[in-house]
């Protein structure tokens, strides 16, 4: 689960990680009032969406008067912001963060992520703040410092020294501030079961203070149960409504831009099915894992969600029953054809537990549009052919 | 021959009396696995499925001589269960549970390694040595005895791969589902070496997916150490970046962890890489004939 910048900064503040002061606004009036409350004569108006690249997309702008705050808030609120992370359809901006202007002397990069190879968190830092870190990693990998911290022993002095010497910070007071900053960030990463924290840029002010000018945080979904305060930060409007609806039925669904709807058990086979469709010259319309407890109701729901997508020209049901029993899936398909208008060809491949029973159920049901496949390759080929004919 | 488990392996079940634990322990026993007891705190002294229940793993190990534990406890208790097994002298924990927090698994794995315990999973279908021992949730009937070893991150692709291998007239020595989480126990490297050392295994099928770099590490390892033919499939060639494809670990981060880089690395290491899982059986036939 991801959260907004302003929410990440609330967590930072709780742990004493310094940030500029700011207040969230839903309307231009609130934005102006917030600017007044913050004081000063320069503010930043920042679109709050779950995607990076907001500045380049026109979602982060500087205001030098309260009138300008109002103008910019009016412009940004309600705009559809397109960045390299939103996809071409962009994201609707519903909140703006009004932040006091900062006196930027230097821009750095700091993040904490899980290093899957080392099986522990790593702190990544760079002097190239404000740039796309993927680009820095590609073009000048020597400018990225990586420091693994073993959670069994925690953040030690040498981690801090590697960090500040690596960043070329020589002033003693500044070294101390940076080490304190990173240590707090590591602590909040661990205590909140974060998946990643990224601060880009982390700025040094003229007075030698370090501030998190941006803040991006993602959390381990499996650990949200023990963090109700973070679960409360969930912004449903940032999630795909179909994916969300599917998850309520225990289905894992992701929309894609192809023509063949897929319903599969198991994440690996679901990806493998998409790959096979591609390989045979078709295009998958979605990823859908019906999970281990699939029954008639969830299968029917799966059909409904797949068929909401107007691009779908055929549906390939590919089940290799282990825990999932094929006869239940067969009943689900029959149930679905009663509840939902399944107007496209449905190619069904059922193998594994109770497959013979399932075959009999389907052949007795006499459903129009139903094509039986013998194996994965056969099913994908038939689905691609059916989509091409439609 | 086989790897890790066989007909003589003594197994306990952590989470024995729960719904999932009961159902799958029963299936494993029907397959022939020696389930010699189980652990459910507070239910020690009871008999479940004809076997003794213990309050702690330590007691269970002392009374039964079990060396393997099959773990079915709820996600929040997985780390606790793994560490308990590790400190009680269990040699191999097979963790089926999906949804254990990543931070917990960091600690649990470190503890397992320190105590010399191997772990399979979490979030996996388990391990099966055909016709001898099934520790997990896979449908036993599709694994016919033969000479192909199988390693997979995905449960259903394990079934798909094994089924194709058997349909081509071959069979399986041992199949291991290593799990789809960001932090897992035994990985390709260790298992590839075990299959290399197993006299009965003549070819290895390796099924991976997007996310992380275990498959890249495996490719480097194969190049240096594995002389038996390897067939590989990587799921998620058509997956979009930044989206989690069902498994917690199946995500392309930025430009890293793509199917293509993994397929290229494996091909360069001399592995027979197939583009679709529908081709696994045929590829095995090709490398074995």
């Amino acid at each position: 689960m991801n959260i907004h910048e302003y929410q990440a900064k609330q967590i930072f503040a709780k742990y004493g990680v310094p940030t500029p002061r700011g207040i969230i606004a839903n309307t231009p009036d609130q934005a102006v009032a917030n600017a007044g409350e913050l004081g000063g004569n320069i503010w930043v108006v920042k679109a709050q969406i779950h995607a990076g690249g907001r500045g380049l997309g026109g979602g982060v702008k500087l205001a030098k008067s309260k009138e300008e705050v109002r103008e910019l808030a009016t412009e940004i609120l309600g705009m559809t912001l397109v960045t390299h992370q939103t996809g071409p359809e962009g994201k609707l901006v519903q909140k703006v963060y009004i932040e006091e202007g900062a006196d930027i002397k230097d821009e750095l990069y700091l993040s904490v992520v899980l290093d899957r190879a080392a099986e522990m968190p790593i702190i990544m830092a760079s002097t190239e703040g404000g740039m796309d870190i993927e680009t820095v990693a590609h073009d000048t990998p020597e400018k990225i410092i990586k420091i693994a911290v073993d959670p069994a022993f925690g953040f030690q002095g040498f981690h801090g020294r590697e960090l500040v010497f690596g960043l070329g910070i020589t002033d003693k007071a500044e070294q101390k501030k940076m080490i304190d900053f990173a240590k707090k960030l590591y602590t909040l990463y661990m205590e909140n079961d974060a998946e990643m924290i990224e601060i880009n840029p982390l700025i040094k002010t003229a007075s030698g203070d370090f501030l998190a000018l941006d803040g991006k945080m993602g959390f381990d979904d499996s650990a949200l149960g023990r963090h109700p305060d973070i679960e409360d930060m969930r912004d449903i409007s940032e999630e795909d409504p179909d994916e969300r609806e599917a998850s309520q039925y225990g289905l894992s669904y992701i929309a894609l831009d192809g023509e063949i709807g897929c319903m599969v058990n198991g994440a690996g086979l679901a990806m493998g099915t998409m790959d096979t469709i591609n390989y045979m010259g078709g295009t998958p319309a979605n990823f859908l894992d019906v999970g281990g407890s699939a029954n008639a109701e969830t299968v029917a729901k799966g059909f409904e969600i797949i068929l909401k997508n107007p691009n779908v020209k055929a549906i390939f049901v590919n089940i290799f029953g282990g825990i999932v029993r094929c006869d239940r899936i067969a009943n689900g398909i029959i149930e679905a054809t009663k509840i939902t208008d399944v107007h496209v060809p449905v190619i069904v491949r059922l193998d594994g537990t109770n497959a013979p029973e399932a075959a009999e159920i389907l052949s007795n049901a006499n459903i129009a549009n139903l094509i039986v496949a013998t194996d994965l390759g056969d099913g994908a080929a038939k689905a691609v052919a059916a989509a091409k004919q439609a | 021959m086989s790897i890790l488990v066989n007909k003589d392996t003594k197994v306990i079940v952590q989470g024995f009396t729960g719904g999932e634990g009961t159902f799958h322990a029963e299936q494993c026993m029907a397959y022939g696995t020696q389930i010699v007891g189980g652990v459910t705190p507070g239910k020690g002294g009871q008999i479940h499925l004809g076997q003794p229940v213990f309050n702690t793993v330590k007691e269970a190990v002392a009374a039964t001589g079990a060396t393997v534990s099959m773990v079915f406890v709820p996600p929040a208790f997985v780390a606790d269960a793994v560490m308990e097994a590790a400190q009680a002298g269990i040699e191999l924990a097979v963790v089926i549970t999906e949804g254990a927090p990543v931070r917990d698994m960091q600690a649990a794995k470190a503890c397992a390694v320190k105590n010399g315990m191997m772990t399979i999973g979490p979030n996996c279908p388990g391990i099966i040595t055909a016709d001898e021992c099934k520790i997990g949730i896979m449908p036993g009937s599709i694994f016919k005895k033969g000479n192909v070893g199988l390693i997979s991150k995905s449960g259903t692709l394990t079934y798909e791969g094994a089924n194709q291998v058997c349909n081509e007239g071959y069979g399986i020595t041992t199949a291991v589902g290593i799990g789809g989480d960001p932090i897992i126990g035994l990985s390709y490297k260790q298992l590839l070496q075990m299959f290399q050392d197993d006299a009965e295994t003549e070819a290895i099928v390796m099924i991976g997916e997007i996310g992380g770099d275990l498959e890249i590490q495996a490719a480097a390892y194969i190049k240096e150490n594995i002389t038996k033919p390897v067939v590989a499939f990587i799921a998620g060639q058509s997956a979009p970046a930044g989206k989690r494809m069902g498994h917690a670990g199946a995500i392309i981060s930025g430009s890293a962890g793509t199917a293509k880089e993994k397929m290229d690395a494996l091909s360069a290491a001399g592995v027979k890489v197939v583009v679709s899982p529908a081709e696994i059986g045929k590829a095995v036939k090709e490398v074995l004939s």
Side-chain angles (χ1 to χ4, degrees):
Chain A
M1 184 189 104
N2 295 324
I3 58 174
H4 289 293
E5 173 199 359
Y6 79 95
Q7 295 168 319
K9 286 180 171 173
Q10 287 168 2
I11 300 174
F12 290 177
K14 212 170 107 187
Y15 282 81
V17 172
T19 64
R21 294 178 309 127
I23 309 172
I24 194 72
N26 296 307
T27 64
D29 283 343
Q30 268 177 11
V32 174
N34 292 353
E37 200 177 324
L38 290 168
N41 52 19
I42 190 158
W43 300 273
V44 191
V45 181
K46 305 170 102 175
Q48 298 294 293
I49 57 166
H50 288 183
R54 290 172 297 159
L56 288 173
V60 177
K61 288 187 171 168
L62 204 62
K64 288 179 178 159
S65 67
K66 286 185 191 164
E67 292 70 47
E68 222 180 331
V69 169
R70 180 179 300 281
E71 273 169 38
L72 291 172
T74 309
E75 177 193 323
I76 293 172
L77 280 167
M79 84 187 277
T80 300
L81 191 52
V82 179
T83 82
H84 68 285
Q85 287 185 359
T86 59
E89 68 279 10
K91 275 190 171 177
L92 180 69
V93 182
Q94 292 171 310
K95 286 185 167 73
V96 287
Y97 192 48
I98 309 302
E99 200 168 63
E100 62 183 358
D103 178 9
I104 303 173
K105 198 178 162 211
D106 209 354
E107 292 185 77
L108 306 170
Y109 171 94
L110 189 67
S111 66
V112 188
V113 295
L114 174 72
D115 182 337
R116 288 170 61 165
E119 298 180 338
M120 56 183 75
I122 53 165
I123 295 172
M124 284 207 290
S126 175
T127 51
E128 308 301 290
M131 312 243 311
D132 175 31
I133 200 67
E134 288 270 334
T135 310
V136 179
H138 184 264
D139 297 345
T140 49
E142 71 281 1
K143 289 190 173 166
I144 296 180
I145 312 156
K146 293 181 180 179
I147 305 162
V149 183
D150 188 333
F153 313 109
F155 188 98
Q156 298 294 324
F158 76 91
H159 294 125
R161 293 193 293 277
E162 279 183 27
L163 176 68
V164 293
F165 290 118
L167 287 172
I169 299 171
T170 50
D171 179 85
K172 279 252 180 324
E174 285 179 17
Q175 285 180 344
K176 197 168 170 292
K177 283 179 195 168
M178 175 52 84
I179 291 172
D180 187 54
F181 191 111
K183 190 173 180 175
K184 283 173 174 162
L185 205 65
Y186 169 79
T187 304
L188 83 88
Y189 176 90
M190 290 307 294
E191 286 185 1
N192 293 283
D193 281 288
E195 192 170 73
M196 65 95 183
I197 308 176
E198 188 180 53
I199 300 175
N200 191 18
L202 184 166
I203 57 156
K204 190 170 101 177
T205 64
S207 52
D209 287 315
F210 294 103
L211 292 179
L213 200 64
D214 195 6
K216 204 172 159 189
M217 277 189 92
F219 298 86
D220 177 2
D221 290 329
S222 297
L224 284 174
R226 57 192 181 202
H227 300 291
D229 52 330
I230 287 167
E231 177 81 62
D232 283 347
M233 291 182 169
R234 183 183 288 274
D235 182 351
I236 295 169
S237 68
E238 285 285 333
E239 294 171 14
D240 181 282
D242 292 333
E243 289 177 19
R244 194 174 162 77
E245 188 186 350
S247 73
Q248 284 162 351
Y249 289 83
L251 306 169
S252 174
Y253 173 85
I254 293 167
L256 303 168
D257 47 18
E259 296 180 339
I260 300 173
C262 302
M263 188 184 308
V264 189
N265 68 319
L269 189 59
M271 282 188 274
T273 302
M274 287 157 45
D275 295 341
T276 306
I277 288 170
N278 257 337
Y279 177 58
M280 303 257 176
T283 51
N286 64 276
F287 166 94
L288 175 60
D289 173 8
V290 294
S293 54
N295 56 34
E297 194 203 1
T298 53
V299 170
K301 195 75 204 173
F303 270 103
E304 192 190 313
I305 292 168
I306 290 173
L307 285 166
K308 274 192 195 169
N309 177 348
N311 298 330
V312 169
K313 293 188 176 146
I315 298 176
F316 181 19
V317 181
N318 182 24
I319 304 293
F320 204 116
I323 321 175
V324 174
R325 288 164 34 192
C326 292
D327 53 327
R328 282 200 198 166
I329 302 284
N331 283 323
I333 295 169
I334 294 168
E335 208 51 45
T337 56
K338 287 179 194 156
I339 306 167
T340 321
D341 171 31
V342 183
H343 53 273
V344 299
V346 178
I347 295 83
V348 183
R349 180 265 181 141
L350 299 172
D351 213 331
T353 309
N354 291 2
E357 290 87 334
E360 200 181 321
I361 291 169
L362 286 179
S363 71
N364 290 341
N366 272 329
I367 305 169
N369 280 343
L370 189 91
I371 302 165
V372 174
T374 52
D375 61 28
L376 168 58
D378 181 46
K382 283 177 173 161
V384 172
K388 284 203 171 131
Q389 271 174 20
Chain B
M1 285 288 285
S2 56
I3 67 163
L4 291 166
V5 299
N6 59 36
K7 61 183 184 338
D8 300 319
T9 306
K10 289 183 177 166
V11 184
I12 55 163
V13 183
Q14 284 174 267
F16 191 30
T17 58
E20 296 279 309
T22 301
F23 176 77
H24 290 292
E26 226 169 357
Q27 302 280 317
C28 292
M29 288 161 127
Y31 192 78
T33 308
Q34 286 200 47
I35 305 276
V36 295
V39 177
T40 299
K43 293 196 177 172
Q46 296 182 13
I47 298 290
H48 184 63
L49 307 179
Q51 298 299 328
V53 182
F54 301 91
N55 286 322
T56 65
V57 177
K58 208 178 264 177
E59 288 169 342
V61 169
T64 65
T67 56
V68 176
S69 176
M70 175 163 72
V71 181
F72 272 107
V73 302
F77 307 107
V78 164
D80 187 0
V82 169
M83 293 194 250
E84 184 183 2
Q87 301 215 346
I90 288 285
E91 292 167 16
L92 171 68
V94 181
V95 189
I96 309 301
T97 311
E98 177 175 5
V102 171
R103 189 182 73 187
D104 293 9
M105 284 315 300
Q106 289 174 39
K109 188 169 177 195
C111 175
V113 169
K114 192 171 178 186
N115 286 279
M117 183 182 79
M118 295 180 286
T119 311
I120 293 175
N123 188 13
C124 80
I127 175 169
I128 183 166
T129 290
D131 293 345
E132 294 194 34
C133 178
K134 167 181 125 141
I135 303 172
I137 58 173
M138 60 285 271
S141 59
I142 54 174
F143 297 85
K144 301 203 171 64
K145 191 128 193 99
N147 54 1
V148 178
L150 196 150
I151 313 165
S152 170
K153 274 185 178 174
S154 145
T156 39
L157 278 177
T158 305
Y159 315 158
E160 182 69 49
N163 193 48
Q164 286 182 32
V165 168
C166 296
N167 285 345
E168 290 290 343
Y170 299 95
I172 300 293
T173 47
T174 302
V176 189
I178 59 173
D181 272 6
I183 292 185
I184 56 172
L186 289 178
S187 173
Y188 297 109
K189 272 200 299 195
Q190 297 102 318
L191 293 162
L192 283 162
Q193 187 60 54
M194 290 181 204
F195 281 126
Q196 173 73 25
D197 297 340
D198 175 44
E200 209 174 332
T201 300
E202 288 174 26
I204 306 162
V205 173
M206 168 184 157
I207 299 169
E209 64 189 26
I210 53 168
D213 73 341
L214 293 178
E215 294 86 349
I216 306 264
Q217 291 179 33
Y221 192 81
I222 290 168
K223 205 171 181 178
E224 297 297 321
N225 304 286
I226 306 297
T227 57
K228 292 180 180 176
V230 181
V231 168
F233 168 70
I234 304 296
Q237 297 154 50
S238 45
K243 283 275 187 185
R244 204 172 290 282
M245 307 302 283
H247 288 156
I251 181 164
I252 299 168
S253 314
S255 55
T258 63
K260 188 174 183 307
E261 65 172 343
K262 295 182 180 194
M263 292 164 76
D264 289 350
L266 287 162
S267 292
V271 172
K272 169 109 186 127
V273 179
V274 295
V275 180
S276 157
E279 312 281 311
I280 292 171
K282 271 183 249 167
V284 167
K285 188 175 181 182
E286 218 171 286
V287 300
L288 278 177
S289 53

